[in-house]
Amino acid sequence: MIEVRGVSKSFGDNQVLKSISFEVKEGEVVVLIGPSGSGKSTLLRCINYLEDFQAGEILVDGAAVGYNASAGGSKRTRQSETEIARLRTKAGMVFQNYNLFPHKTAIQNIMMGPVLVNGVSKAEAREHAQALLAKVGLADKANHFPSQLSGGQQQRVAIARALAMRPKVMLFDEVTSALDPELVDEVLKTLRDLSTEGMTMIIVTHEMQFARDVADRLLFFYQGSIIEDGPPNDVFANPKTERFQAFVKRFQSGTVAA
Ligand code: ADP
Ligand code: MG
């Protein structure tokens, strides 16, 4: 469902992604962990083509993202903005800061994309939005404004808003990092439910126990490279690198604020 092949990306002299390759099969949950600055967010942004990349290719559901490869594969041509916009709807993305429109209610936030971008009728968008609110446990909050919701509730509305576009895959970038600790579990539960339903997902998180529970595969990022890749139990039981062990250890002792 997602193929990342030899993707490299630099900001000026700073090479942030160093020939990254991996794939995510349909229904799989891949969790990315790694120190701050290791390139996790940049990778997610490349998958949604919110960031350009200089080399390699990314396919989502079989379609190239950002560039069309030439017949020989040697020359890359940039896609039109229309193509990019259409492809972008295949991958729903949710960030740390949920950025709901403050002057719109929960249900209006969820309906906007389908109505304005996908041309769905208001009636149909409303019905789907109501079902999505129920799915994330907020059926009774449809007419609340963001300021009337907790951070965890706002983040669940943001997830419903992304799902409203009927994406093929979901990308989550530290969606619990800005929440008070007591609100983390309700958002993680929503992610677990999505995984149970078979949604294909890439999740960046610092919640280690959650990562172990929910991931089909765990990728450990370090300075722009994937240095561990496998089922979480294997990676935790037999890490190949000391860097992973050190990361987990520092994490458990709470000295890494990441
Ligand atoms: P992570 O999500 O793992 O914390 P990021 O992908 O955010 O890491 O960042 C990786 C590296 O890219 C960091 O060195 C960061 O400073 C750099 N970086 C990210 N975004 C930009 C940008 N827009 N301009 C320049 N450098 C950036
Ligand atoms: Mg990040």
Side-chain angles (χ1 to χ4, degrees):
M1 188 58 79
I2 303 173
E3 290 179 73
V4 175
R5 298 187 193 139
V7 167
S8 293
K9 156 115 193 130
S10 301
F11 289 106
D13 295 341
N14 182 14
Q15 189 174 4
V16 172
L17 299 177
K18 298 172 183 163
S19 195
I20 296 286
S21 298
F22 66 96
E23 38 174 81
V24 187
K25 298 197 176 70
E26 184 164 7
E28 225 178 14
V29 178
V30 168
V31 172
L32 305 185
I33 60 174
S36 189
S38 57
K40 307 178 299 292
S41 295
T42 303
L43 175 67
L44 288 196
R45 292 170 57 79
C46 286
I47 292 173
N48 219 0
Y49 206 66
L50 296 169
E51 255 343 315
D52 186 32
F53 47 96
Q54 287 96 3
E57 57 180 355
I58 299 176
L59 290 93
V60 176
D61 191 25
V65 173
Y67 292 91
N68 293 319
S70 65
S74 56
K75 199 158 154 245
R76 313 189 314 155
T77 38
R78 178 81 169 268
Q79 293 170 343
S80 69
E81 292 305 317
T82 322
E83 273 178 293
I84 289 167
R86 191 166 44 80
L87 280 166
R88 197 170 276 150
T89 65
K90 288 193 175 203
M93 188 151 175
V94 185
F95 306 88
Q96 183 171 333
N97 300 312
Y98 15 90
N99 292 331
L100 298 175
F101 291 100
H103 56 288
K104 299 218 177 266
T105 63
I107 197 161
Q108 286 169 342
N109 266 280
I110 298 169
M111 289 169 60
M112 268 177 85
V115 171
L116 296 178
V117 181
N118 292 353
V120 173
S121 76
K122 276 199 172 170
E124 190 186 331
R126 182 176 299 278
E127 196 175 318
H128 189 209
Q130 194 62 59
L132 290 169
L133 279 167
K135 185 204 281 277
V136 300
L138 296 172
D140 56 338
K141 300 284 191 270
N143 298 317
H144 284 56
F145 288 92
S147 60
Q148 300 169 314
L149 299 171
S150 73
Q153 290 169 336
Q154 290 183 59
Q155 191 58 292
R156 285 184 283 151
V157 172
I159 293 169
R161 180 176 60 175
L163 292 171
M165 301 299 283
R166 302 186 187 276
K168 291 285 198 169
V169 307
M170 287 287 285
L171 311 173
F172 294 97
D173 194 359
E174 294 196 35
V175 291
T176 61
S177 294
L179 299 177
D180 290 336
E182 71 273 20
L183 303 178
V184 167
D185 282 348
E186 65 191 56
V187 174
L188 295 184
K189 178 182 179 300
T190 301
L191 302 196
R192 280 180 213 267
D193 290 348
L194 281 175
S195 125
T196 308
E197 287 171 21
M199 177 59 82
T200 307
M201 307 196 271
I202 302 180
I203 302 174
V204 174
T205 185
H206 292 295
E207 298 288 336
M208 291 298 151
Q209 190 56 51
F210 170 75
R212 293 186 74 154
D213 292 347
V214 83
D216 295 306
R217 281 216 338 277
L218 192 70
L219 306 183
F220 178 60
F221 258 66
Y222 191 82
Q223 294 182 355
S225 300
I226 296 170
I227 64 169
E228 302 274 353
D229 178 354
N233 288 338
D234 293 1
V235 173
F236 276 92
N238 298 305
K240 292 198 281 284
T241 62
E242 283 180 14
R243 283 184 175 131
F244 177 78
Q245 287 168 296
F247 176 77
V248 172
K249 204 185 232 168
R250 266 177 305 160
F251 225 87
Q252 282 161 348
S253 63
T255 51
V256 170

